[in-house]
Amino acid sequence: MISFVICLCLLIGGYFTYGKLVDNTFGPDDRETPAVAINDGVDYVVMPQWKLFLVQLLNIAGLGPIFGALQGALWGPIVFLWITFGTIFAGAVHDYFSGMLSERNNGASIAEVTGKYLGNRMKAVMRVFSVVLLVMVGTVFAVGPAGLLVKLLGEKGVTGPFANTAVWLAIILAYYFIATFISIDKIIGKIYPLFGICLIVMAVGVAIGMPLNGFHTPEIWTNFYSMHPANTPVWSFMFITVACGAISGFHSTQSPLMARCLKSERQGHFVFYGAMVAEGVIALVWAAAGCSIYEVTGGLNTGLSEALGAGQSAAIYDVCVKTMGSLGVILAMLGVIACPITSGDTAFRSARLTLADWMGLDQGSYVNRLKLCVPLLGCGAFLGFGNSFGLFSYQVIWRYFSWTNQTLAMLVLWSASMYLASEKKNFWITAVPATFMSAVSATYFSMAPECLGLIPFFKNNVAFAYPFGIVVAVVFLGLFMKASAKHRMSDGTKTAA
């Protein structure tokens, strides 16, 4: 329990110390924000800071920090270190710059921001990459809750149309369409803060309920080794698996939503860096729950693996009941149903804005919004109903998300590094985590079963994957240093001239 408390204090302290350093490096000022300058009443709407924080938290979190943290707990309490330091030095930095660079570019989507600093070729790649990723995320977060609702209602003896997954999927997609289409302050701005509070309350309840119910959290220093029941390597599988609980490229697609609603640039530290720290705290709590509730003599066994095997939603339900009793049942239901849905609708909304920036379509027009909402939700319906009728597997749609998610985070950090280099500011605060995530993504890609690991020679071949990841990271850092040096020399020449 001591190591858990230490990591918790480090996370909170990181917000006030390193987070402030990051904010000062960027240098927010009193310029007019896009929310004030554009204010179209649809996507550019000024909202109060507390609401921006809670909406951002729910946008980036959903059930990501819970699912990922529980999966990460399979490696044992060493996962606490990645959640803590990954959040402070990588995830929160990534979220801050993805939000503030968007804000400095009139609330542009992350594809446009990346293209500005990494070139037009990368912009073209990121546009396609972002939209595909967002549609996949939105679809998965519709299919999952629909299936769970049918399961829960079936246990209560409900029959008829509402015992059909396709019916609930249609209802959720209809909600998605409405939330994607109308003004951000009409639904998202009103109900998201409530669910954001529920997410925080659920984490607090689990944290307090663990010691009260006699669950002992193992210490890092007495369990500093991998406890994974399948002997899955820590590097880089744990770093990819935890995802949203430490760093997630998906967040960079969500931050521009709030970048369009800031009244002042000085709100960025609390809204972007702060929300990611809050997510890190939530992830730390759930990782501790995974390590504590399913602990046996000698460390973790297949208990947690079996709990997750029954379904991630079932595992969340189990943890909530064991730590909070009847209150946990209510919070668990809100969490496993509402939180994924609220991440899904903002995924489709972000996809709409990415396409709008790409095509130059003014989203103040109802007609232009319809032109994008209809095909986007149509793709979601095709994938979602395809899963329901057995045409696609839920796992097939989802299993490529983890690697692409962290690769996106890597690209955003390199973009932020180029921005800082061009402004002659301390680019190491983003270049170091960018280099690290380059190694993580390349290593995972070279041996994971859903990537190069499809080929028997590469599957879990650490002798090849580890050096490959290091080489890729060094090459990327070298390319960045060369490009940033040219950029600085070019600026110097212009100044001298």
Side-chain angles (χ1 to χ4, degrees):
M1 191 70 179
I2 297 174
S3 54
F4 166 76
V5 174
I6 291 174
C7 288
L8 183 62
C9 292
L10 286 172
L11 273 170
I12 296 171
Y15 168 78
F16 293 101
T17 54
Y18 197 74
K20 194 62 180 176
L21 171 66
V22 170
D23 193 44
N24 289 338
T25 300
F26 178 82
D29 55 36
D30 295 320
R31 72 184 67 193
E32 194 173 48
T33 63
V36 176
I38 300 174
N39 202 336
D40 64 358
V42 179
D43 298 308
Y44 294 86
V45 179
V46 175
M47 290 198 291
Q49 180 172 277
W50 67 270
K51 188 173 287 190
L52 290 170
F53 170 83
L54 288 171
V55 173
Q56 173 72 1
L57 174 61
L58 203 59
N59 281 357
I60 65 175
L63 288 185
I66 300 177
F67 284 170
L70 282 175
Q71 293 279 2
L74 288 169
W75 280 275
I78 57 172
V79 74
F80 298 170
L81 297 175
W82 170 230
I83 291 173
T84 301
F85 295 109
T87 296
I88 295 171
F89 297 109
V93 175
H94 165 275
D95 288 14
Y96 178 85
F97 276 96
S98 62
M100 295 306 289
L101 289 180
S102 172
E103 190 275 337
R104 283 279 173 96
N105 289 277
N106 289 323
S109 62
I110 197 61
E112 307 304 307
V113 172
T114 303
K116 178 174 181 178
Y117 299 108
L118 296 184
N120 288 329
R121 289 182 181 176
M122 185 56 68
K123 180 193 292 186
V125 171
M126 285 290 289
R127 282 169 169 172
V128 176
F129 189 84
S130 298
V131 173
V132 171
L133 179 68
L134 288 165
V135 171
M136 284 199 304
V137 171
T139 301
V140 167
F141 284 153
V143 172
L148 182 60
L149 280 165
V150 170
K151 179 181 178 182
L152 293 173
L153 292 172
E155 292 175 352
K156 298 295 183 181
V158 175
T159 59
F162 291 110
N164 189 310
T165 302
V167 171
W168 281 109
L169 181 58
I171 292 172
I172 293 172
L173 288 173
Y175 161 74
Y176 279 2
F177 182 87
I178 295 170
T180 302
F181 181 79
I182 67 174
S183 172
I184 194 168
D185 61 338
K186 293 297 187 289
I187 292 181
I188 293 174
K190 284 184 168 60
I191 67 171
Y192 270 41
L194 297 176
F195 288 122
I197 292 171
C198 286
L199 194 64
I200 295 171
V201 170
M202 187 160 58
V204 171
V206 170
I208 295 174
M210 281 189 293
L212 289 181
N213 287 280
F215 295 112
H216 170 70
T217 303
E219 306 294 355
I220 297 172
W221 42 81
T222 55
N223 299 276
F224 196 69
Y225 59 92
S226 174
M227 296 180 171
H228 200 286
N231 294 318
T232 303
V234 172
W235 180 269
S236 62
F237 284 86
M238 186 182 76
F239 298 88
I240 292 289
T241 300
V242 173
C244 296
I247 180 172
S248 168
F250 173 69
H251 297 182
S252 68
T253 68
Q254 302 302 293
S255 293
L257 298 181
M258 292 301 96
R260 301 182 184 214
C261 300
L262 294 176
K263 183 178 181 180
S264 167
E265 280 195 348
R266 301 184 192 282
Q267 296 174 326
H269 177 220
F270 180 64
V271 174
F272 299 120
Y273 198 98
M276 182 59 220
V277 168
E279 182 169 10
V281 170
I282 292 170
L284 185 66
V285 169
W286 281 92
C291 292
S292 307
I293 295 172
Y294 303 99
E295 185 192 12
V296 295
T297 303
L300 297 179
N301 69 350
T302 56
L304 178 57
S305 183
E306 289 171 357
L308 291 169
Q312 292 171 321
S313 297
I316 292 171
Y317 183 88
D318 187 48
V319 170
C320 287
V321 170
K322 287 179 177 177
T323 55
M324 293 180 283
S326 56
L327 174 62
V329 174
I330 298 171
L331 290 173
M333 290 305 96
L334 284 172
V336 300
I337 294 173
C339 287
I341 292 174
T342 53
S343 289
D345 63 11
T346 52
F348 278 107
R349 189 180 189 92
S350 184
R352 170 174 69 79
L353 295 174
T354 301
L355 287 174
D357 288 348
W358 184 352
M359 300 175 182
L361 290 175
D362 175 19
Q363 293 300 282
S365 164
Y366 288 104
V367 175
N368 285 344
R369 294 207 298 279
L370 280 173
K371 287 179 181 178
L372 299 180
C373 287
V374 171
L376 280 172
L377 271 299
C379 289
F382 174 73
L383 292 172
F385 285 110
N387 174 82
S388 298
F389 294 120
L391 297 177
F392 307 106
S393 165
Y394 180 96
Q395 287 75 20
V396 169
I397 297 173
W398 180 254
R399 68 183 180 182
Y400 292 100
F401 170 73
S402 58
W403 174 73
T404 55
N405 183 48
Q406 301 302 62
T407 301
L408 177 57
M410 171 196 77
L411 293 172
V412 172
L413 285 168
W414 282 126
S415 300
S417 301
M418 285 301 298
Y419 163 78
L420 290 172
S422 68
E423 294 291 317
K424 296 181 175 59
K425 295 181 177 180
N426 177 20
F427 56 75
W428 290 110
I429 61 173
T430 52
V432 170
T435 304
F436 181 83
M437 291 310 299
S438 298
V440 168
S441 295
T443 303
Y444 185 85
F445 176 76
S446 64
M447 66 176 175
E450 62 268 25
C451 300
L452 273 184
L454 287 168
I455 303 171
F457 171 79
F458 293 106
K459 186 176 181 180
N460 294 335
N461 186 345
V462 297
F464 170 80
Y466 289 2
F468 177 75
I470 293 172
V471 169
V472 169
V474 171
V475 169
F476 280 13
L477 178 60
L479 291 173
F480 164 73
M481 295 302 293
K482 182 178 180 180
S484 62
K486 285 183 178 180
H487 193 92
R488 293 194 298 272
M489 288 177 63
S490 175
D491 285 350
T493 301
K494 291 177 181 177
T495 302

